[in-house]
Structure formats: structure tokens, C-alpha cells
Amino acid sequence: MCGIVAVIGSRDAAPLLLEGLKQLEYRGYDSAGLATIEFSSQASNNGSLTCLRAGGKLVNLNSLVDRDGAPGQLGIGHTRWATHGKPEEKNAHPHRDSSGGLAVVQNGIIENHRYLRKELESEGVSFLSDTDTEVIPHLIARQLQLSLAEGMSPSGSILVEAVRKVSLELKGAYALAVIWDKTPESLVVARRQAPLLIGLGEGEFLCASDTPALAGFTRTILPMEDGEVALLTPLGIELYDIRGERQQRSPSLLNGLEDVVTKRNFRHFMLKEIYEQPEKAKLWVDRHLPYGLPASSPIAYPFENSFYEGIERIQILACGTSRHAGMVGAYLLEQFAGIPTSVFYASEFRYSAPPLAPNTLTIGVTQSGETADTLAALAMESRRRKSHGNPAFAPRQLGITNRSESSIARQVPNILDIGSGIEVGVAATKTFLGQLLAFYGLALTFASRRKSRSVEEITTMANELRNLPSQLFSLIEKHDQLSISLSQMFSETQNVIFLGRGINYPIALEGALKLKEISYIHAEGYPAGEMKHGPIALLEKRVPVISIATPGVVFEKVLSNAQEAKARDAKLIGVAPNGLAEEVFDALLPIPEVSEWMSPLFSVIPMQLLSYHIAANRGLDIDQPRNLAKSVTVE
Ligand code: M6R
């Protein structure tokens, strides 16, 4: 997390940095800062460095820049999500060396910062912040001193070399940008296991942690590879690998960012994104489920036959909402397509993966394509399979993402782009639906290839998916209204229980996560049958229970579990079709009576809208909830 923007060119850097940071605020918003350098004297070739930092959201930094000014055509900017040190001004980036002339912004975590800090302190360096980042400017300054002592003059070359050498001392993941007042025509950037892209603009070069920050200025980008360091000057880009070898690569073009990011007439991005779901579902259907495909190959996915062949087992690695989508996916892949499938928290899998099984497809699910735990788990799995040696254990990986230009697309050979469009609200909504649809497509394909389902069953599911966009459209309008009134009863609520079973258990988890994230109400999702084994002790009249009860193998069971809750005085809200069990519930959020397979695509809508309206009633910052960031690029 944290967002980095940097620029070197011929116009004022500060407005550009602020505009770029605005697009990156979803990566963190607890403080922000920038540093710029202006030529102060052509003769000495020195620049004068201005550094401004402000606690809180970007608007505070905007005011500071308006008030104090930040002149110069070279600059670096940062929006922070706190890891080391509280979210306050002294911990905001940029951080500087003891002279104040060298400034650094960083994304990631320097894992050996305590060791490095002690070493620097023993050399007399004083630290001004609690961050891991602050060691970096001091280490670079130390390296530069050595070069100057050897008689070298300040130059971009010695700066880039100093940053490269310091990179070798750092442990952990980072992306960083560095400026030095002795080299006002040099910007140095570097990355390891955290994303960084160079943008080639007109008369300027930019650098940022993510494409939205560049899209307003250029469409031509050069993603940096792991371990690379680059020197950007007004004349061009020099790219080096970690050994200092010069690298040559052609830039590529950014596509598909046209709809970046306006709220239109919606109060929040989250609500806009909930409303976009029918349109995004229609795009998916049009692209992947055109009429006329044979039942033997029901989905137009961009994979060769060999991609599907010989797979005996699937494992899904993901975090948060993406893991919930993976859980629905696992249900479909096992129960519909007949492939044994397991789902893991990526953060757990990294350190306690199960013993290797042959012929396994590993699927990483990440809307941002940048989640550090998911990327690291995929990389670890790939390494241990490669080192096994037996071809049956070779890595076979698929990434499901909303950002086909992100790190996962450079790491994993096969990518399914869910095509949901940029999601700005921190709480994932339309991308969850997109991830679910990706799994429906996989389940259909595997089922037809393995003949685990009849042609009729496959055709029925394909047709149900084709009907989804129009059904979603009316469902969202209806639930928007229903949730507005139902949300009133949550004004004093402190705890909520969500129940689901089978394919809807992950939707109960997702409902609880949405509510926690944006309303700060404590919520838990349980498999409905598990309530009586402990959580039922929590129930009393102030604890609402939201129960997903959709027709299928566990319908009656869920209703019994719901009644057990009602018998303990809990207010019972049902997410169920009309006319099947109204008498059981105190309130009903009705969804269409669809097949059990399809039900998660509908039951998630009331979860999203009810959470949204509960948080809106409380006047909370729905798109940027406290302590969260849209993409979690640290471990
Ligand atoms: O970008 P990813 O899908 O990998 O993100 C994973 C989680 O951080 C994410 O789903 C998080 O749980 C969301 N804020 C949920 O709304």
C-alpha cells in the first residue's frame, strides 16, 4: 500500500504530483507529502529542495502547497498507509537525510530496518520518525559520501549507483523514488516486490505505483521489473538490473482506463460500483458466453486446450473478498465440475502450504493484482514445484484479476481479466461479482470437458448466466430502497451475525466483511449449522441475525437454524425468495427464486446495499474507511 508518484520534466511538478496522488489515495490516506527541487543556481548546479508533509487526507497537503508553494520541475510525492509509526506528520513521507537535501518516498516494508537503524545510530545519525523508511535516505547519503570522498562529482550516475548499492542492503519489499538537491536533473526510482511503473509523457517522465496516477498524463508506460533501478533525466531513461547491468525494453500502451473515476451522480463510489454490476455482468456474458458455442466448449476463455488437460486438483489462493469469491468458486469446481478444490488464505499458505500433489492448478485471485500475500504465495508455490523436478508436479497457474497490467499478470502465465473496470471504493463490490463470474465460467468449462454434468445442465447454467444482467438490474433498484428503510433499525447495533450454508456460506462471510469494513460494526459470518456449537451464546434481542435461505439441498436446514436464533430473541432478517418462508423472519430481503448454483450472484446484492446504507446513516467515510487501503502491497 502507500502510493508513490514522481516526475521530472519542464513544468511545475507539484500540481502533477497532487493530481497523481489523488488517483492513488485508495492505496492509503492517513498522511501525504511531497518534495520538489528547483534550480537555485545554474553556476553551482545545486537545487533547493522543498519538502511539505501533512497528516490526514490529501486535501491537507493541497492546502499546505497552496499556502507555502513547492517550486521545481523535479518532484516526488507519497500517500501513506501506516505500517511503522502512527499516522502523523513526523512519519509522513518524504523522509530526508541529515543534510535535508536528499529525499525519499517508499512503499513497502524494510524488514531489516531495526538492524540498519542501530548501525546508523552508532555512526551518529539521528532519526526523526518511527518509520522503517527513514533508514533509506541515510544509507543513500552514506553511500554518496563514499563516492564524493573518492573524488567523484555529484551526478545522476553516482545517485543511481548509490541507490542500487543500498537496495542490496535492504531486506523486504519496496518501491522507492529519490531526489537529491545536488543533482536537480535526476530522479532515481527502484523496486523490489512492490509495483512501480515509469510513464513516458510529453516533455516529462513520470513514475507511479499504479496506472491511474499516470493515465491523466500519458498512455505510454514501462513497468519496472523486480530488482530494477532507473535514472530518469530530462533526456531519457536509464534502466539497470540489480547487478548494475543496463537493461533495454520497449514501453507498452495503457488501455481501458477511459472510465477512470468519477462518481457520476452517486453519493459514493461504492454505491456507483454496486449499480454498475448489471452492466459489467452483461459485458462478461457478451464476451464469454455468446450464443452458439457448443456445449462441449461453452465458454470463450482465452486458453488453449492444454490449459485444461490433466488437472486433477485445484487450489485457490487469495485474501479478503477475493478469498470469499474463491470459496464460491471452490464449491462450483467441486460440486458442479467434480474437481477436488481447496481454498487458502494466501498469507497462511505462504508459510504452511500442504504437501505437494501432482497435476494441480493453482489459482490466485486478486482484483488489484498487487496483493503482496497473494503474489508471494503464488511465487512460493511456483518455486517449490519447479524444484521438484517431476513434470507431474510442475507449476500450473492462473490469475483472476481486474487489472491485467498489474504485477500478477507479469508473474503468472495465464490470466483471466474480470473486466469490471476500475473500482475505487475500498469495499469490493463489482469486482466480487466479476470474480464469481470468472469461476462460473471455469466450472462450466471443466464440467463439460470432464462430462461431470449433462449437456442439459450445462446449457441451463449458461442460460441462467445470460439472464443475470437483467435480473440484477431490477434487484439492485429494489434493494436500494428496501435497505434504506431497514438500515434504520441498525442505528444502535454493535454486533451482527450472518448465516449461510453451502454455496451461500461465503456470502455470509462477505456480508459480515462488508459491514465491518465500512460501518465499523462488529459482524461475523457463520455456516448456519455451526451456530449451535458456540456462537449462539452471543444471541439476544440487540443482535440481529441475517440469514441467507435459498432453495436447495440445505434450505430447510437453514430455516431451522434461523429459528434457533429467533428462539433466542434475535431479530431475524431473511435473504430468501418471496412466498417460501416469510413467517420465519422478522423482515425479508427478497431475492429471485433461482437455482441453488446461481443464488450467490443474487444473495450478495442485499449484503452490499444493506451495509452501504447502514454506514451511510452513520455518516461514515464509506469510500475510504479508517485504517484500510484498496490494495495491500505489504505483508
Ligand atoms: O486486490 P485483492 O483482491 O487481492 O484484495 C484482497 C483484499 O485486500 C480485499 O478483498 C479486501 O478484503 C477488500 N477491502 C474487501 O472489500
Side-chain angles (χ1 to χ4, degrees):
M1 23 250 280
C2 300
I4 292 179
V5 193
V7 63
I8 181 160
S10 50
R11 52 178 165 155
D12 274 352
L16 237 129
L17 295 173
L18 290 169
E19 182 49 39
L21 290 177
K22 193 164 122 205
Q23 303 301 337
L24 291 184
E25 227 188 346
Y26 71 88
R27 296 178 76 92
Y29 35 78
D30 53 38
S31 60
L34 55 76
T36 55
I37 293 186
E38 186 184 37
F39 281 111
S40 58
S41 138
Q42 292 289 353
S44 72
N45 205 28
N46 270 357
S48 82
L49 187 142
T50 306
C51 183
L52 299 175
R53 310 183 303 178
K57 293 202 172 174
L58 189 59
V59 7
N60 299 344
L61 180 65
N62 272 301
S63 313
L64 209 57
V65 173
D66 284 348
R67 195 189 71 193
D68 298 349
Q73 294 81 38
L74 166 64
I76 55 180
H78 189 266
T79 176
R80 179 168 187 252
W81 183 85
T83 58
H84 295 67
K86 287 190 173 169
E88 50 196 38
E89 199 233 308
K90 73 167 183 177
N91 293 324
H93 299 215
H95 292 284
R96 285 181 287 168
D97 71 332
S98 308
S99 78
L102 184 126
V104 173
V105 290
Q106 183 233 343
N107 169 26
I109 291 181
I110 305 304
E111 288 171 0
N112 56 340
H113 75 102
R114 277 194 304 274
Y115 166 80
L116 294 167
R117 190 175 177 125
K118 274 202 189 108
E119 184 182 286
L120 288 159
E121 278 171 342
S122 72
E123 293 169 15
V125 171
S126 304
F127 281 80
L128 304 175
S129 78
D130 306 321
T131 63
D132 53 336
T133 308
E134 201 185 347
V135 297
I136 302 174
H138 294 297
L139 290 171
I140 298 173
R142 185 170 75 177
Q143 200 60 53
L144 287 168
Q145 281 313 318
L146 290 175
S147 304
L148 297 177
E150 285 168 15
M152 295 182 199
S153 309
S155 68
S157 307
I158 74 161
L159 183 59
V160 75
E161 186 56 9
V163 172
R164 187 186 71 78
K165 285 188 174 148
V166 167
S167 300
L168 297 169
E169 292 184 65
L170 303 177
K171 294 210 165 75
Y174 59 80
L176 50 93
V178 185
I179 55 175
W180 185 26
D181 61 0
K182 304 266 184 306
T183 54
E185 298 205 327
S186 302
L187 165 64
V188 173
V189 293
R191 67 154 288 213
R192 188 203 295 155
Q193 292 168 28
L196 204 57
L197 306 115
I198 295 172
L200 289 74
E202 279 187 28
E204 63 206 7
F205 294 109
L206 302 109
C207 193
S209 346
D210 200 357
T211 46
L214 301 176
F217 309 110
T218 179
R219 300 260 139 178
T220 313
I221 58 155
L222 186 64
M224 289 180 70
E225 298 291 341
D226 219 34
E228 282 183 339
V229 185
L231 169 64
L232 280 55
T233 71
L235 299 178
I237 301 168
E238 293 172 20
L239 203 56
Y240 299 91
D241 70 8
I242 196 66
R243 289 161 303 157
E245 304 280 334
R246 187 83 183 258
Q247 305 294 300
Q248 301 288 351
R249 251 196 335 275
S250 303
S252 51
L253 280 182
L254 264 182
N255 289 317
L257 289 171
E258 279 70 22
D259 62 351
V260 188
V261 278
T262 63
K263 273 189 246 177
R264 305 213 289 263
N265 291 327
F266 291 95
R267 206 169 134 205
H268 295 100
F269 279 108
M270 182 179 173
L271 189 60
K272 177 191 132 198
E273 288 156 3
I274 291 172
Y275 267 86
E276 280 173 354
Q277 292 178 106
E279 161 200 336
K280 299 299 175 190
K282 172 133 187 7
L283 279 177
W284 183 86
V285 166
D286 291 349
R287 188 176 311 149
H288 299 300
L289 262 179
Y291 282 100
L293 289 179
S296 57
S297 177
I299 282 278
Y301 273 169
F303 307 126
E304 305 287 331
N305 275 338
S306 57
F307 170 82
Y308 301 100
E309 271 161 17
I311 290 171
E312 290 169 6
R313 174 173 297 279
I314 294 178
Q315 53 189 13
I316 298 171
L317 314 180
C319 305
T321 287
S322 295
R323 195 180 70 92
H324 299 155
M327 290 172 74
V328 175
Y331 190 97
L332 292 166
L333 289 164
E334 277 195 345
Q335 307 298 324
F336 192 81
I339 309 178
T341 305
S342 319
V343 187
F344 297 89
Y345 287 105
S347 54
E348 292 295 315
F349 186 92
R350 291 177 71 168
Y351 301 108
S352 52
L356 288 179
N359 302 315
T360 303
L361 174 68
T362 304
I363 305 181
V365 191
T366 164
Q367 89 73 29
S368 63
E370 302 293 356
T371 296
D373 284 318
T374 307
L375 296 181
L378 287 165
M380 185 279 281
E381 181 64 352
S382 181
R383 275 195 308 274
R384 70 177 183 141
R385 284 182 175 275
K386 276 184 190 146
S387 66
H388 189 284
N390 180 337
F393 289 83
R396 303 180 69 168
Q397 296 200 336
L398 166 68
I400 297 180
T401 185
N402 191 35
R403 304 298 298 278
S404 58
E405 75 292 354
S406 66
S407 297
I408 195 173
R410 294 193 290 280
Q411 183 176 319
V412 167
N414 304 293
I415 287 292
L416 259 186
D417 182 349
I418 61 173
S420 303
I422 297 272
E423 186 174 68
V424 175
V426 163
T429 51
K430 63 175 179 172
T431 56
F432 179 67
L433 190 89
Q435 292 167 339
L436 291 185
L437 289 172
F439 278 114
Y440 278 87
L442 283 177
L444 275 174
T445 310
F446 277 114
S448 70
R449 295 180 70 92
R450 299 163 71 96
K451 304 204 176 4
S452 59
R453 293 280 155 183
S454 66
V455 169
E456 290 70 38
E457 285 171 302
I458 286 168
T459 312
T460 302
M461 186 186 273
N463 285 336
E464 286 176 319
L465 287 166
R466 288 188 184 105
N467 291 335
L468 176 73
S470 58
Q471 288 172 294
L472 278 183
F473 188 73
S474 48
L475 188 69
I476 289 172
E477 291 219 311
K478 180 154 95 193
H479 278 276
D480 199 7
Q481 293 313 312
L482 281 173
S483 303
I484 290 174
S485 47
L486 193 60
S487 61
Q488 307 295 336
M489 80 172 244
F490 289 78
S491 57
E492 303 296 325
T493 300
Q494 288 179 359
N495 295 290
V496 180
I497 304 285
F498 289 78
L499 300 180
R501 262 182 113 141
I503 198 168
N504 277 298
Y505 165 49
I507 304 302
L509 294 177
E510 178 60 7
L513 178 61
K514 285 291 88 91
L515 189 64
K516 279 187 272 212
E517 275 187 303
I518 59 170
S519 74
Y520 317 143
I521 294 175
H522 175 246
E524 296 297 337
Y526 287 106
E530 192 61 22
M531 272 296 287
K532 55 187 176 292
H533 298 289
I536 201 163
L538 295 170
L539 297 188
E540 40 114 338
K541 62 178 182 313
R542 287 170 306 172
V543 180
V545 172
I546 300 179
S547 174
I548 306 168
T550 55
V553 284
V554 286
F555 182 54
E556 295 298 338
K557 308 277 176 206
V558 174
L559 291 181
S560 307
N561 301 142
Q563 270 164 325
E564 289 156 13
K566 198 172 172 187
R568 272 82 189 171
D569 285 341
K571 275 264 171 297
L572 199 55
I573 297 162
V575 175
N578 265 319
L580 295 185
E582 267 101 332
E583 69 291 353
V584 174
F585 302 112
D586 298 306
L588 183 68
L589 290 168
I591 56 171
E593 191 172 344
V594 293
S595 73
E596 186 172 20
W597 301 120
M598 294 294 288
S599 56
L601 298 163
F602 296 90
S603 58
V604 72
I605 301 295
M607 305 289 146
Q608 297 171 344
L609 281 163
L610 188 59
S611 301
Y612 171 81
H613 284 295
I614 292 171
N617 285 348
R618 294 182 174 214
L620 295 171
D621 192 347
I622 290 180
D623 289 329
Q624 295 183 336
R626 73 181 178 210
N627 303 339
L628 297 181
K630 183 72 182 160
S631 70
V632 184
T633 57
V634 293
E635 184 176 352

